[in-house]
Amino acid sequence: KAGVTQTPRYLIKTRGQQVTLSCSPISGHRSVSWYQQTPGQGLQFLFEYFSETQRNKGNFPGRFSGRQFSNSRSEMNVSTLELGDSALYLCASSLLMGQGGYNEQFFGPGTRLTVL
Amino acid sequence: AQKITQTQPGMFVQEKEAVTLDCTYDTSDPSYGLFWYKQPSSGEMIFLIYQGSYDQQNATEGRYSLNFQKARKSANLVISASQLGDSAMYFCAMRGGGSGGGADGLTFGKGTHLIIQP
């Protein structure tokens, strides 16, 4: 069974540009979550999608957005990039949307975004 | 708001020794889950072990066990017989029921960088 895949793996952009990252969950998984990892802030929850609907959102500005398609694949978009957006962006998939308790999330390898 | 605290930024341990990685948490949710993940230098997060807030017994998964002390809000990870391949970042995380009726994402601690020495 294929794991979570993320494309691209590495990306270099300049300030002011926008970027789109892609995540394909494990087959059969309907929930996709996105996380940002930086040395300063650590791992932070961005948002979660389930059945093409955003169900939960972390404390990030509106420049960060996402969507989920009918095949559960998800994309996240960051507009007007800032230097502080440089980070490892991790995608995680799970069978069901988390409702507290056990809901194992399988992570992809991440996309490393560098903003110059 | 949920919070995870990992007080050990880094640890050096001799191969084959047991390791305890500390994790304390804070939440007002009566129902929550606690997770440990391993992140090698490649960047991928690898799920290790889970403990539910209502579980009566400590979770175990092979060489990993979770020392869950609910009253102290502590969820330490114990790795028995450490191996060189255990060298990585280790993150404690939790997920609660959410104050708005929905679920929140995982809240992570800052992590512990574990280095196993031969």
Side-chain angles (χ1 to χ4, degrees), chain A residues 71-97:
Chain A
N71 61 358
S72 294
R73 188 177 72 85
S74 177
E75 289 181 347
M76 68 162 281
N77 184 277
V78 188
S79 62
T80 319
L81 284 166
E82 301 177 358
L83 295 179
D85 297 333
S86 293
L88 179 67
Y89 290 88
L90 290 161
C91 164
S93 79
S94 57
L95 274 171
L96 301 172
M97 186 182 73

Side-chain angles (χ1 to χ4, degrees), chain B residues 40-100:
Chain B
S41 56
S42 60
E44 187 169 353
M45 299 289 283
I46 301 168
F47 168 77
L48 296 178
I49 197 167
Y50 161 84
Q51 180 83 43
S53 57
Y54 293 115
D55 291 343
Q56 296 297 312
Q57 292 186 320
N58 287 343
T60 60
E61 287 286 347
R63 295 187 299 115
Y64 304 107
S65 61
L66 201 152
N67 184 2
F68 181 47
Q69 299 186 46
K70 193 172 183 177
R72 299 178 65 179
K73 295 190 174 180
S74 167
N76 297 340
L77 176 70
V78 180
I79 306 174
S80 63
S82 58
Q83 302 171 355
L84 296 178
D86 294 333
S87 295
M89 284 292 292
Y90 287 80
F91 292 94
C92 180
M94 78 178 301
R95 183 162 192 159
S99 58

Side-chain angles (χ1 to χ4, degrees), chain A residues 14-43:
Chain A
T14 56
R15 279 182 300 174
Q17 287 187 311
Q18 75 166 17
V19 68
T20 299
L21 313 181
S22 180
C23 171
S24 292
I26 291 171
S27 177
H29 285 194
R30 296 173 61 190
S31 172
V32 173
S33 299
W34 289 89
Y35 295 84
Q36 181 197 64
Q37 185 176 24
T38 61
Q41 298 299 316
L43 280 149

Side-chain angles (χ1 to χ4, degrees), chain B residues 5 7 29 33 51 56 60 63 104 111 113 115:
Chain B
T5 302
T7 57
D29 290 327
Q51 180 83 43
Q56 296 297 312
T60 60
R63 295 187 299 115
D104 300 322
H113 189 190
I115 297 174

